[in-house]
Amino acid sequence: MAGLEAWFRQAPQPASRNPKESAGFIMNGGIQSEDHQESSGRRRKHRVALRAGIGVAAAAGLFTFGLEGVGAAAAESPNVCVAANGEVRTPEQVSGTATCSASGQGSVALANGDSSSATVDGAHNTARVRGADSHSTATGGDGNTAIVTGDGSSATASGGDGNTATVQGDFSTARADDGDGNTATVEGDASRAFATNGDGNTATVNGGGSLAEAGNGDGNTATVDGERSGARATDGDGNTATVNGDASGASAGSIGGLGTGDGNTAVVNGDRSSAQAGLGDDNTAIVNGDDSRATTAGGGDGNTATVDGNGGNATAGGGDGNTATVQGDFSTARADDGDANTATVNGEVSLAEAGIGDGNTATVEGDTSRAYATNGDGNTATVEGDASRAFATNGDGNTATVNGGGSLAEAGNGDGNTATVDGERSGARATDGDGNTATVNGDASGASAGSIGGLGTGDGNTAVVNGDRSSAQAGLGDDNTAIVNGDDGRATATTGGCVAEAGAGQQVTCPPVPAVE
């Protein structure tokens, strides 16, 4: 009884002209007035009005209340309606625009507010409203609860058993229906929460102008803690979408209203960011930062896209088991269009892309750098440094590695090619054939194996530089070798089976260049 009376008393209370006129209090199941001069006739009228409703809901096991408590609340707010077990039990002295109805064993409907309504149909259902122009409905099943605290809001728990819809705020909506054990909760203004079309779905909003939707399946969870944000976990089972931030969005299961999926997880911790995990099963998209995006929208299973930074973008999908990870600001990682591809960036304004094939790996550690491992299977591109690039593309099993700033490694247009740079402003190319190797250890140096200057092809060629400002070229044929050990040297081996070795400041060509007479 005390809990019910306290709930009603939270509505705005008009000031009393005479303290004794509104000083009634509950004692021993009735209202005792402090005005000991009240006439015996008035006391009899109070007792007749109050006894009719004492202990209305006690038999239902919900809570015990006497209409004497409601009578006290009615003196404070004229728009009150109470119904229980099929009867409207509002005291006669109460008038106003609140309406209520309750049908079913142990049912309770309470409305407190101008033009408010509470409607119950079913066993052990509860509908409560405190606020103007608000509505609560608990129907179409048993054990449903709908509660509104605020103006212009609505809560609906129906179409199944054990559903709960709760609103605390103005102009908000909560729906938990068309299934069993669904829960929809709003704390905020102009927000919406829907847990529908399935069992055990949970939708929660804490903030204004936001949306949480969980449904079209079982065990989905959508949570928003922020303003003007949205979370959707739908069209599958066991999906989770979470937003902690403003103007952000998370989708798990379907994406943009398309497709289905189970066990997907989308999480945003930041403002103006987006996470999408779906169009398949067991996909994960996570953003920790502002103005960032993580998605597995390409479809497939077991894909993971993660951004930890601002202005970043991670995409994993279009296959199974792809992973794209960004740690840093304004960087991008893509692992898609194949299976088991991995793209990783740790740095600012950098890019890693692995895909259009299977088992490719692209890794960047540095700023304004790029790594591509694409258009084939088992390619690996790695950069450690700033403003560098690595390409392992257009073939299988190619490897391009850079350790240094402002450098380039390129391996591809064939299979099993390897290009490696350890130095600054250097380049290594192993392309246009199979099994070519180009290696540079030094600054401002270059090595080419296979094609030379973008011309010709060759297999099994090796070009190595150990020094600064040096060059080694092996190609335009097969099994050529060019090696430079020292600075400012140059070695060139072409045609086939040729070997050229040069030291510091030397220039060696195989086959030898004819002397000019």
Side-chain angles (χ1 to χ4, degrees):
M1 178 170 63
L4 177 64
E5 183 187 10
W7 187 80
F8 273 108
R9 288 181 180 275
Q10 292 182 35
Q13 302 179 11
S16 175
R17 297 177 182 174
N18 185 342
K20 292 184 178 181
E21 292 180 2
S22 58
F25 59 94
I26 299 171
M27 180 181 293
N28 297 327
I31 293 183
Q32 306 297 326
S33 174
E34 291 184 355
D35 186 355
H36 298 292
Q37 304 302 319
E38 184 180 37
S39 69
S40 60
R42 290 182 63 189
R43 286 196 298 269
R44 282 194 298 273
K45 290 180 180 180
H46 272 286
R47 286 194 294 270
V48 171
L50 298 177
R51 285 173 180 169
I54 295 175
V56 173
L62 298 174
F63 50 80
T64 302
F65 67 97
L67 289 184
E68 70 279 12
V70 176
E76 298 162 354
S77 177
N79 294 300
V80 177
C81 184
V82 180
N85 295 329
E87 294 184 55
V88 175
R89 298 174 179 258
T90 309
E92 295 178 0
Q93 67 268 32
V94 176
S95 63
T97 57
T99 61
C100 61
S101 65
S103 174
Q105 182 181 12
S107 62
V108 177
L110 310 171
N112 183 356
D114 187 19
S115 299
S116 65
S117 69
T119 304
V120 170
D121 180 8
H124 306 293
N125 291 321
T126 300
R128 299 189 302 189
V129 171
R130 184 175 66 252
D133 299 303
S134 291
H135 310 281
S136 65
T137 303
T139 60
D142 300 330
N144 297 306
T145 300
I147 300 173
V148 174
T149 303
D151 298 334
S153 294
S154 68
T156 303
S158 63
D161 300 331
N163 297 303
T164 301
T166 306
V167 173
Q168 291 187 350
D170 299 334
F171 309 108
S172 292
T173 301
R175 284 180 48 205
D177 54 14
D178 295 323
D180 300 331
N182 296 305
T183 301
T185 305
V186 172
E187 292 188 15
D189 298 335
S191 290
R192 296 169 294 161
F194 303 100
T196 65
N197 298 315
D199 300 331
N201 297 300
T202 301
T204 305
V205 172
N206 184 3
S210 293
L211 165 69
E213 183 177 356
N216 293 337
D218 300 332
N220 297 300
T221 301
T223 306
V224 173
D225 189 349
E227 310 291 320
R228 307 178 309 283
S229 292
R232 299 182 72 253
T234 63
D235 300 294
D237 300 331
N239 296 302
T240 301
T242 305
V243 173
N244 295 304
D246 299 335
S248 292
S251 298
S254 68
I255 296 177
L258 301 175
T260 63
D262 300 330
N264 297 293
T265 300
V267 178
V268 172
N269 296 307
D271 299 335
R272 301 173 304 279
S273 292
S274 170
Q276 299 174 317
L279 305 183
D281 300 333
D282 302 314
N283 297 299
T284 301
I286 299 174
V287 171
N288 295 307
D290 300 335
D291 304 296
S292 292
R293 182 173 182 264
T295 182
T296 65
D301 301 332
N303 299 298
T304 301
T306 306
V307 175
D308 191 351
N310 300 323
N313 192 324
T315 301
D320 300 332
N322 297 299
T323 302
T325 306
V326 171
Q327 291 186 333
D329 298 336
F330 308 108
S331 291
T332 299
R334 294 181 58 90
D336 54 7
D337 295 321
D339 299 332
N341 296 299
T342 302
T344 305
V345 172
N346 187 355
E348 314 290 322
V349 200
S350 290
L351 167 67
E353 185 171 342
I356 315 179
D358 300 332
N360 298 299
T361 301
T363 305
V364 172
E365 290 199 15
D367 300 335
T368 64
S369 291
R370 297 185 177 187
Y372 297 88
T374 64
N375 297 96
D377 300 332
N379 296 304
T380 302
T382 306
V383 172
E384 292 189 17
D386 299 335
S388 290
R389 295 168 295 163
F391 300 88
T393 64
N394 298 317
D396 299 332
N398 296 300
T399 301
T401 306
V402 173
N403 185 1
S407 293
L408 165 69
E410 183 178 356
N413 293 336
D415 300 331
N417 297 299
T418 302
T420 306
V421 172
D422 189 349
E424 310 291 320
R425 305 177 311 282
S426 293
R429 298 181 73 252
T431 63
D432 299 297
D434 300 331
N436 296 302
T437 301
T439 305
V440 173
N441 295 304
D443 299 334
S445 293
S448 297
S451 68
I452 297 177
L455 300 176
T457 63
D459 300 331
N461 297 291
T462 301
V464 178
V465 171
N466 295 307
D468 300 335
R469 301 174 304 278
S470 293
S471 171
Q473 297 175 316
L476 305 181
D478 300 334
D479 303 315
N480 297 293
T481 301
I483 300 174
V484 175
N485 291 307
D487 299 337
D488 303 303
R490 179 171 181 174
T492 302
T494 60
T495 66
C498 233
V499 177
E501 295 188 34
Q506 294 181 334
Q507 294 189 15
V508 177
T509 300
C510 179
V513 177
V516 178
E517 297 182 357

